[in-house]
Amino acid sequence: EAGELLPLYRAKVREASKVKALEKLCSKWARIAPGQLSPDFACPDLSGKVVGLSDLKGKYVYIDVWATWCGPCKQEMPYMQKLEQQYRGEKIVFVSLSMDRWTEKEKWKLYLAEHRIQGVTLIAPEGFKSSFIRKYGVTGIPRFMLIGPDGKMMAHNCWRPSDPRTELLLKKLLSAKN
């Protein structure tokens, strides 16, 4: 959709630096557009084992980008856990990717234990300076994404777990003959 704006912007804006800035932004967005091969990432889990998107290939991957200091993120956690429990054993994996920095990992681990967070729980050691943030163009959290079993981006800004449309989408995807 952003690509549709570019010709209009070029027609209205004459300042080359502004046009170039939007072109650069559209190029970034195009790399994570639905149907594009999703960028790989690799982040440590609770035990320190590094888990990457390539490790999850063959399943739908629903990613929750969050942090322990983010109120709206924490509000979504019970809904995320409900979906994870409901679809356990299905062709989907739920990834909770924390933007807490590695120096805050004890706070992250404590939060996961206190709230009995399950599923794939990862931490981006550099927080908002992580390569994940750059590759996926995340500008704020919470952010939810859906990646297909083929590793292609389905939704860069998917509905929250609390939104009924999320469950409807997952039911539809998982009931389809793949």
Side-chain angles (χ1 to χ4, degrees), residues 16-34:
S17 64
K18 289 183 178 183
V19 172
K20 188 173 182 172
L22 184 61
E23 287 173 344
K24 185 177 178 182
L25 191 56
C26 287
S27 175
K28 284 182 182 181
W29 289 337
R31 291 192 301 257
I32 54 172

Side-chain angles (χ1 to χ4, degrees), residues 6-155:
L6 199 51
L8 296 172
Y9 193 78
R10 284 184 185 129
K12 298 286 184 186
V13 177
R14 298 291 175 215
E15 194 173 325
S17 64
K18 289 183 178 183
V19 172
K20 188 173 182 172
L22 184 61
E23 287 173 344
K24 185 177 178 182
L25 191 56
C26 287
S27 175
K28 284 182 182 181
W29 289 337
R31 291 192 301 257
I32 54 172
Q36 295 297 312
L37 193 59
S38 181
D40 200 1
F41 61 85
C43 297
D45 67 8
L46 276 170
S47 68
K49 177 186 170 201
V50 175
V51 177
L53 180 60
S54 56
D55 298 319
L56 308 172
K57 200 165 188 174
K59 295 186 176 197
Y60 290 98
V61 180
Y62 185 83
I63 302 173
D64 172 7
V65 184
W66 71 290
T68 59
W69 44 261
C70 170
C73 299
K74 293 190 293 187
Q75 287 176 335
E76 289 298 319
M77 227 12 117
Y79 299 98
M80 179 77 163
Q81 289 303 295
K82 180 184 171 210
L83 288 175
E84 197 274 333
Q85 290 171 3
Q86 183 175 343
Y87 292 103
R88 189 169 284 150
E90 297 284 339
K91 193 178 164 181
I92 185 167
V93 63
F94 294 86
V95 176
S96 296
L97 176 57
S98 174
M99 290 296 116
D100 290 283
R101 292 188 177 162
W102 194 246
T103 55
E104 301 164 323
K105 72 180 176 184
E106 294 309 317
K107 182 179 176 183
W108 168 68
K109 287 180 178 182
L110 182 62
Y111 183 89
L112 294 176
E114 285 178 353
H115 294 88
R116 298 185 179 137
I117 306 299
Q118 299 178 353
V120 179
T121 54
L122 307 175
I123 188 168
E126 304 88 19
F128 269 94
K129 293 183 180 181
S130 72
S131 63
F132 181 91
I133 292 294
R134 288 189 306 278
K135 288 178 183 178
Y136 285 87
V138 176
T139 57
I141 57 175
R143 172 65 62 88
F144 302 92
M145 301 175 195
L146 182 63
I147 300 169
D150 57 1
K152 292 183 179 178
M153 185 63 71
M154 295 182 73

